[in-house]
């Protein structure tokens, strides 16, 4: 297996069970308590990278070439809600997404509800809304998780059923 990726799958729905046997998957769990342990393991690995790797951006980039990408997949609303209801897990997840991602980490949150995210929501949800780095499989007029300017809604207004490639990628601006 030549792709240097280490995957952690926290599968609240059990829909990713077959991924457990993929070569890059370090750990798979459907249990919330085990998932907190796996999240902590990934967090500690990233903290270790932060403390041992150079802080210079160029040197850091070179040092990370030999490090695996740490991929965290959180699937299912219940799993995400359980992690966010535990302050330590929520803080670690937030730090991974905000600060530690530059140490070669990627977090994918699947099955996030398409509801408006208020400013009283968990920090990670506010970050998702403000960062605008989303892949959404929904009619553009039905997207509620982030604000889509009316101009873009009109430009990309088409029904998913009629479109061959209905996904919208919201990246930054």
């Amino acid at each position: 297996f030549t792709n240097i990726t280490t995957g952690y799958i926290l599968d609240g729905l059990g829909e990713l069970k077959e991924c457990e046997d993929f070569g890059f998957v370090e750990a798979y769990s459907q249990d919330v308590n085990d998932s907190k342990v796996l999240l902590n393991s990934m967090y500690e690995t990233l903290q270790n990278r932060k403390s041992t790797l150079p802080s210079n951006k160029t040197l850091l980039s070179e040092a990370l070439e030999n490090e695996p990408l740490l991929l965290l997949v959180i699937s299912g609303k219940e799993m995400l809600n359980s992690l966010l209801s535990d302050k330590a897990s929520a803080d670690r997840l937030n730090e991974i997404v905000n600060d530690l991602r530059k140490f070669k980490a990627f977090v994918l949150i699947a099955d996030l509800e398409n509801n408006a995210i208020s400013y009283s929501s968990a920090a990670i949800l506010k970050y998702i809304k403000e960062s605008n780095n989303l892949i959404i499989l929904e009619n553009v007029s039905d997207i509620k998780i982030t604000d889509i300017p009316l101009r873009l809604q009109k430009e990309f207004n088409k029904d998913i059923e009629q479109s061959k490639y209905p996904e919208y990628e919201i990246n930054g601006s």
Side-chain angles (χ1 to χ4, degrees):
F1 195 72
T2 59
N3 185 5
I4 52 173
T5 300
T6 300
Y8 300 87
I9 300 177
L10 315 181
D11 188 13
L13 300 174
E15 294 179 345
L16 301 175
K17 180 72 175 154
E18 64 274 3
C19 298
E20 183 176 15
D21 297 326
F22 290 0
F24 70 91
V25 176
E26 174 86 12
Y28 171 91
S29 179
Q30 289 180 285
D31 180 73
V32 173
N33 292 324
D34 289 344
S35 294
K36 291 175 185 176
V37 171
L38 296 178
L39 176 65
N40 191 47
S41 174
M42 181 178 173
Y43 175 80
E44 288 175 0
T45 301
L46 289 167
Q47 283 290 4
N48 186 44
R49 286 182 185 178
K50 182 178 182 177
S51 65
T52 59
L53 295 176
S55 59
N56 177 289
K57 191 173 183 176
T58 304
L59 295 175
L60 176 63
S61 180
E62 291 173 8
L64 285 172
E65 285 181 12
N66 296 323
E67 296 289 338
L69 169 71
L70 297 180
L71 171 65
L72 175 64
V73 178
I74 302 171
S75 179
K77 297 171 207 132
E78 293 80 16
M79 180 64 74
L80 180 63
N81 289 339
S82 294
L83 292 171
L84 294 179
S85 66
D86 177 67
K87 181 166 176 23
S89 296
D91 289 346
R92 287 191 170 112
L93 184 58
N94 194 45
E95 190 172 348
I96 289 170
V97 170
N98 282 299
D99 181 43
L100 297 174
R101 65 186 173 149
K102 63 186 164 205
F103 296 98
K104 215 168 174 182
F106 183 84
V107 177
L108 174 67
I109 301 175
D111 197 32
L112 190 61
E113 289 188 52
N114 184 20
N115 292 329
I117 296 174
S118 70
Y119 286 97
S120 63
S121 297
I124 188 75
L125 297 177
K126 290 189 281 189
Y127 176 81
I128 290 169
K129 177 181 177 155
E130 292 165 3
S131 72
N132 282 331
N133 289 316
L134 305 163
I135 297 175
I136 302 174
L137 304 173
E138 187 71 61
N139 289 322
V140 73
S141 60
D142 296 332
I143 296 173
K144 299 174 189 147
I145 198 166
T146 191
D147 300 323
I148 307 293
L150 188 58
R151 175 185 61 81
L152 292 177
Q153 286 185 31
K154 289 179 182 179
E155 182 178 345
F156 294 103
N157 189 20
K158 56 185 170 186
D159 286 338
I160 286 181
E161 291 77 23
Q162 298 172 0
S163 172
K164 186 174 179 183
Y165 304 106
E167 70 276 354
Y168 298 98
E169 179 179 346
I170 300 171
N171 188 354
S173 59

